[in-house]
C-alpha cells in the first residue's frame, strides 16, 4: 500500500496518468478524518465544514511546488494546509467581527473542549509561530500532532528523529504554548 501510494503521488506530481484521481480516492477518507479531527476544536456553528476544508487543502496541495517523498510527508503537508485554511478562515471572521466577542481559554481547554473560538485558533497559531522562531522542530512536532493527526512514530519518520524525542519535544512544546497563552491573558 505504501509503495502504491508513493507511485501515485509521483504520477500526480508529474501530471502523468490518472494519478490525481486514484490518489484522491485513496486519500479522501483519511483527509476527511483529519479535517473532522481539526474541526472538532472549532465552534459548533462554524461556517467551514470538513468537506470544504479537505477540498481547499487538496487544492492548495496541488498548487504547492513541493516534492512529496512519501505518505507521511504528504499527510504532514496536508495537515499544515488544513491549519492554514482554518487560520485564514478565522482571520477573516475576526476581521468581520472587528475583534468583538473574544473568549479566553487555556490550551488544556482547546484539547478537550469541543468548541474553539476563532480568536483562540489565531492565538494558538501566533504562539506556534513564536515557538517556531525559538525552536522549529518543537513547533513542527506540535503542528503535526494537532493539525495533521500524525502519531509520534509517523512524526519521527517525517522529521528523522526518534519517537521518544518526538514525545519529549511535544511535552515541552505543549507546556511552552500553554504558558504563552496564559501570559497573553494575564
Amino acid at each position: 500500500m505504501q509503495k502504491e501510494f508513493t507511485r501515485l503521488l509521483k504520477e500526480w506530481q508529474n501530471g502523468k496518468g490518472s494519478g490525481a484521481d486514484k490518489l484522491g480516492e485513496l486519500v479522501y477518507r483519511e483527509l476527511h478524518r483529519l479535517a473532522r479531527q481539526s474541526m472538532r476544536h472549532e465552534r459548533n456553528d462554524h461556517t467551514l465544514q470538513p468537506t470544504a476544508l479537505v477540498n481547499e487543502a487538496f487544492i492548495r496541495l496541488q498548487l504547492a511546488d513541493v516534492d512529496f517523498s512519501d505518505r507521511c510527508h504528504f499527510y504532514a503537508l496536508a495537515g499544515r494546509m488544513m491549519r492554514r485554511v482554518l487560520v485564514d478562515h478565522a482571520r477573516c471572521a475576526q476581521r468581520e467581527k472587528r475583534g468583538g466577542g473574544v473568549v479566553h481559554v487555556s490550551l488544556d481547554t482547546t484539547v478537550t473542549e469541543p468548541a474553539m473560538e476563532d480568536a483562540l485558533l489565531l492565538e494558538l497559531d501566533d504562539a506556534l509561530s513564536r515557538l517556531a522562531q525559538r525552536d522549529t522542530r518543537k513547533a513542527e512536532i506540535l503542528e503535526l500532532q494537532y493539525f495533521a493527526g500524525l502519531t509520534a512514530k509517523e512524526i519521527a519518520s517525517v522529521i528523522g528523529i526518534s519517537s521518544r524525542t518526538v514525545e519529549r519535544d511535544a511535552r515541552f512544546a505543549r507546556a511552552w504554548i500553554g504558558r504563552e497563552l496564559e501570559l497573553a491573558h494575564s
Side-chain angles (χ1 to χ4, degrees):
M1 183 69 161
Q2 175 73 15
K3 288 181 181 181
E4 174 70 4
F5 187 95
T6 303
R7 184 185 64 75
L8 291 173
L9 196 55
K10 295 299 179 192
E11 281 184 18
W12 176 56
Q13 286 185 281
N14 295 326
K16 294 180 182 173
S18 58
D21 292 338
K22 288 181 184 175
L23 185 68
E25 292 170 16
L26 200 62
V27 302
Y28 183 80
R29 270 191 233 122
E30 180 64 13
L31 288 177
H32 204 270
R33 185 191 67 76
L34 290 175
R36 282 192 318 273
Q37 180 178 327
S38 293
M39 297 289 298
R40 79 171 192 258
H41 300 293
E42 299 292 331
R43 64 186 192 279
N44 291 332
D45 64 341
H46 201 286
T47 57
L48 190 62
Q49 297 300 312
T51 301
L53 180 57
V54 169
N55 292 339
E56 180 64 26
F58 199 73
I59 288 169
R60 289 183 185 197
L61 284 168
Q62 286 178 312
L63 297 174
D65 186 24
V66 177
D67 185 23
F68 301 106
S69 56
D70 60 19
R71 179 187 165 280
C72 285
H73 187 227
F74 175 82
Y75 284 118
L77 290 174
R80 286 188 182 135
M81 292 298 177
M82 286 185 201
R83 172 187 173 195
R84 289 181 187 151
V85 170
L86 287 170
V87 168
D88 290 348
H89 189 271
R91 283 196 178 116
C92 182
Q94 285 296 79
R95 276 194 302 272
E96 290 173 11
K97 290 180 184 180
R98 292 189 168 85
V102 175
V103 176
H104 302 287
V105 182
S106 73
L107 181 61
D108 292 336
T109 304
T110 65
V111 174
T112 59
E113 293 296 318
M116 179 197 294
E117 296 294 325
D118 290 332
L120 182 58
L121 178 62
L122 293 175
E123 289 176 22
L124 178 59
D125 181 61
D126 289 342
L128 269 172
S129 296
R130 287 191 303 276
L131 178 59
Q133 290 173 350
R134 295 178 56 112
D135 193 322
T136 305
R137 186 178 75 196
K138 286 178 178 70
E140 183 178 18
I141 288 169
L142 201 58
E143 179 183 48
L144 293 174
Q145 279 185 336
Y146 190 83
F147 291 97
L150 297 182
T151 65
K153 185 177 179 181
E154 290 169 328
I155 293 168
S157 172
V158 168
I159 296 177
I161 58 176
S162 73
S163 295
R164 291 189 74 151
T165 301
V166 169
E167 292 164 1
R168 186 177 52 248
D169 284 358
R171 278 192 305 275
F172 175 88
R174 281 191 299 273
W176 192 91
I177 295 282
R179 184 181 60 90
E180 287 291 302
L181 293 175
E182 284 178 20
L183 289 174
H185 297 287
S186 58

